[in-house]
Amino acid sequence: MVVSAGGEAKRQAAMDTSEAPREPSEPPQTPRRQTPMTSPPGAPMFTFHVYALLDRKFRFNRELDQLILVYGDEYFVLHLTHFTGEKQGLYLVEAKLLVEEKLMMRGQWFSYRFGIKQRQKHIIEFASRHILIPPNQNIKELHIYEGFIGRQEERSLWKSSLQLVGLNKSKADEVSNDWHLSVKHLLCRIFQKWSPAEKLSTDNLCNDLIHFSDSLGSADTRVVYPDRSHPPTIMASELITETLIRILRREPKEEMPDGVREASPLVLGLSVFMIARKLSVDLGVKGWAELCLLLSP
């Protein structure tokens, strides 16, 4: 999913995974050098926006650690724009990386990993990720919902042997619950920012949901583990539909965003209708019935 320079959401080939690399990823290597993101003043820039849930095992400390994107033996430091930290026991992060436009490999697949840079070491995730850089020169941003970023761990010889003969869980199976948890929290975060009474907020929500759906809907082909396994298939459209129906019912109340609780039934119903129409979401018989009840005088 990509966004044009004007901010309008557009479906582009950046999430077309028909030719996505599917080879097994190599064990993560420690990056040797940082690539500084310096550029001449006024130089055209391309922005990567990243949304993810970090593995608790990273023990990420926002004050001391840095989220990095690893490319080969180089790494780039991402700027955190949102962080839900230690008190909640979840590391929900939003970050961005600015790259000078002329360095972009338009129309080519970009392979990378995420990691954490601590004072004395780098901790790299075990998955390898791939994204197609949009060939359209007018596209200046990518919004990527990365799902779960898991920490690389040493595997015992016994577990490795079982894995080879198919008697042990694949890495994807081991982290399946974490992936589903990450999707739940990322979707919740999107709706937490929504104010149904404001049209611009609803437009932004639609764009975010398109990014969410396109990114996570292709994660099972864009992300690969060293044992050749892939993350679970995420039915993003179904999750969005279920969330919209719960919002129409305003249940459970304690999980509803402030904007939803404060919106009038008419405003809420019209906003959900706009979202369903823009995203081509089918609310089903019960969902449309709930919507009609809200819009009835």
Side-chain angles (χ1 to χ4, degrees), residues 145-164:
Y145 284 80
E146 294 285 7
F148 178 68
I149 299 176
R151 175 174 176 168
Q152 169 72 9
E153 293 182 312
E154 294 292 334
R155 296 179 68 88
S156 68
L157 180 61
W158 172 247
K159 282 190 174 182
S160 298
S161 300
L162 289 176
Q163 182 73 59
L164 287 173

Side-chain angles (χ1 to χ4, degrees), residues 34 37 75 78 80 83 106 109 121 160-162 218 220 237 256 265:
Q34 177 180 356
M37 285 290 96
Y75 69 89
L78 286 85
L80 288 184
F83 176 73
R106 293 287 185 175
W109 284 96
K121 61 181 178 179
S160 298
S161 300
L162 289 176
S218 63
D220 59 346
S237 180
M256 289 296 105

Side-chain angles (χ1 to χ4, degrees), residues 21-22 172-173 219-225 227-232:
R22 299 185 65 90
D173 289 335
D220 59 346
T221 57
R222 293 190 303 103
V223 182
V224 59
Y225 295 109
D227 60 3
R228 299 174 182 263
S229 61
H230 296 264

Side-chain angles (χ1 to χ4, degrees), residues 31-266:
R32 290 194 290 270
R33 63 181 185 274
Q34 177 180 356
T35 300
M37 285 290 96
T38 57
S39 58
M45 305 296 288
F46 188 97
T47 307
F48 291 90
H49 298 272
V50 173
Y51 312 84
L53 191 72
L54 293 180
D55 195 336
R56 297 180 186 181
K57 296 172 185 175
F58 279 117
R59 297 183 180 179
F60 184 78
N61 185 315
R62 185 174 186 177
E63 302 300 322
L64 302 176
D65 303 336
Q66 293 177 312
L67 178 65
I68 60 175
L69 184 148
V70 180
Y71 174 63
D73 63 353
E74 302 177 88
Y75 69 89
F76 307 87
V77 176
L78 286 85
H79 171 67
L80 288 184
T81 56
H82 175 80
F83 176 73
T84 301
E86 297 87 347
K87 291 183 180 179
Q88 292 80 5
L90 297 168
Y91 301 137
L92 184 68
V93 297
E94 296 177 5
K96 66 179 181 179
L97 174 66
L98 276 71
V99 180
E100 194 172 352
E101 171 68 31
K102 69 178 183 180
L103 301 177
M104 298 302 297
M105 302 177 292
R106 293 287 185 175
Q108 297 185 34
W109 284 96
F110 175 61
S111 299
Y112 59 100
R113 302 178 196 268
F114 289 103
I116 301 299
K117 180 181 182 295
Q118 298 181 336
R119 185 176 301 177
Q120 301 295 334
K121 61 181 178 179
H122 301 81
I123 306 173
I124 312 303
E125 69 167 324
F126 44 77
S128 178
R129 300 169 188 266
H130 313 277
I131 196 73
L132 182 64
I133 304 300
N136 188 339
Q137 297 286 339
N138 294 322
I139 297 170
K140 305 298 183 183
E141 294 181 318
L142 273 177
H143 289 255
I144 313 170
Y145 284 80
E146 294 285 7
F148 178 68
I149 299 176
R151 175 174 176 168
Q152 169 72 9
E153 293 182 312
E154 294 292 334
R155 296 179 68 88
S156 68
L157 180 61
W158 172 247
K159 282 190 174 182
S160 298
S161 300
L162 289 176
Q163 182 73 59
L164 287 173
V165 296
L167 296 178
N168 196 30
K169 284 185 177 180
S170 69
K171 194 62 198 180
D173 289 335
E174 291 179 11
V175 298
S176 178
N177 290 338
D178 294 313
W179 266 91
H180 288 293
L181 182 66
S182 73
V183 172
K184 173 185 175 182
H185 283 283
L186 290 170
L187 185 58
C188 179
R189 167 67 179 161
I190 290 174
F191 278 98
Q192 286 292 338
K193 297 182 284 185
W194 179 41
S195 176
E198 300 176 11
K199 183 180 182 302
L200 179 59
S201 180
T202 298
D203 290 340
N204 290 337
L205 173 72
C206 289
N207 289 339
D208 289 342
L209 291 175
I210 293 174
H211 302 322
F212 172 89
S213 181
D214 285 357
S215 297
L216 292 169
S218 63
D220 59 346
T221 57
R222 293 190 303 103
V223 182
V224 59
Y225 295 109
D227 60 3
R228 299 174 182 263
S229 61
H230 296 264
T233 299
I234 304 299
M235 307 303 291
S237 180
E238 293 182 7
L239 293 172
I240 292 171
T241 299
E242 292 170 2
T243 302
L244 290 175
I245 293 175
R246 287 199 301 271
I247 284 175
L248 288 172
R249 297 171 179 169
R250 304 196 206 211
E251 296 177 354
K253 289 184 178 180
E254 62 274 11
E255 295 183 10
M256 289 296 105
D258 292 340
V260 171
R261 288 198 296 263
E262 296 168 0
S264 68
L266 179 60

